[in-house]
Amino acid sequence: MAHDTAHHHESNTKRIWSVFIILSVVTIVEVVLGIIKPEFLTDTDLVNMSLLNWIFILLTLYKAYLIGWAFMHLEAENKWLRRVIVWTAIFLILYLVFILLNEGFYIYEVYKEGYVSWDF
């Protein structure tokens, strides 16, 4: 009788391997781009940063989203809970990137104008 009401546990082996393969391919693309550094991507600027850096940021965000979606079981959660978690994380990451870029450009300008010397 207990076996009739028990829930059947599904194997997620196929899902785990597919996510693993997707994450591996994205990581391999990042590594290859980091080694090769195509000139057209490093010389093309978009919002004062090279296109290659934007590609790295977007691929990293995609990997973080996929890890959260698959391995933190966000796909099984309520739609609004997923949106709150994902959009909050995206907003905070983009805000962090914005702050780091602004501060980085400011520090670069301070050293470039000669207010402080390049001692390192």
Side-chain angles (χ1 to χ4, degrees):
M1 189 69 134
H3 294 287
D4 294 337
T5 60
H7 295 285
H8 186 298
H9 179 69
E10 286 186 34
S11 174
N12 287 323
T13 307
K14 183 178 178 182
R15 173 92 170 122
I16 291 170
W17 278 107
S18 65
V19 171
F20 172 74
I21 290 170
I22 292 169
L23 289 173
S24 297
V25 167
V26 172
T27 303
I28 289 168
V29 168
E30 286 178 331
V31 169
V32 167
L33 285 174
I35 291 172
I36 295 174
K37 294 180 186 167
E39 194 171 316
F40 70 94
L41 291 177
T42 56
D43 292 343
T44 306
D45 282 349
L46 178 68
V47 191
N48 291 328
M49 192 168 59
S50 73
L51 199 55
L52 183 63
N53 287 344
W54 283 113
I55 290 171
F56 286 146
I57 290 170
L58 292 175
L59 289 176
T60 302
L61 285 174
Y62 174 73
K63 289 193 314 186
Y65 176 78
L66 188 60
I67 288 169
W69 186 259
F71 296 126
M72 298 174 78
H73 308 290
L74 287 179
E75 62 190 340
E77 293 295 338
N78 182 319
K79 179 172 83 170
W80 285 104
L81 178 63
R82 287 192 314 245
R83 286 183 179 175
V84 166
I85 292 170
V86 170
W87 286 110
T88 302
I90 288 173
F91 170 76
L92 291 175
I93 291 169
L94 291 176
Y95 183 63
L96 175 67
V97 168
F98 172 75
I99 289 174
L100 290 174
L101 288 175
N102 277 334
E103 291 298 317
F105 289 130
Y106 170 75
I107 291 171
Y108 174 75
E109 288 297 322
V110 165
Y111 282 107
K112 183 178 144 187
E113 296 299 323
Y115 298 120
V116 179
S117 63
W118 292 93
D119 290 335
F120 48 89

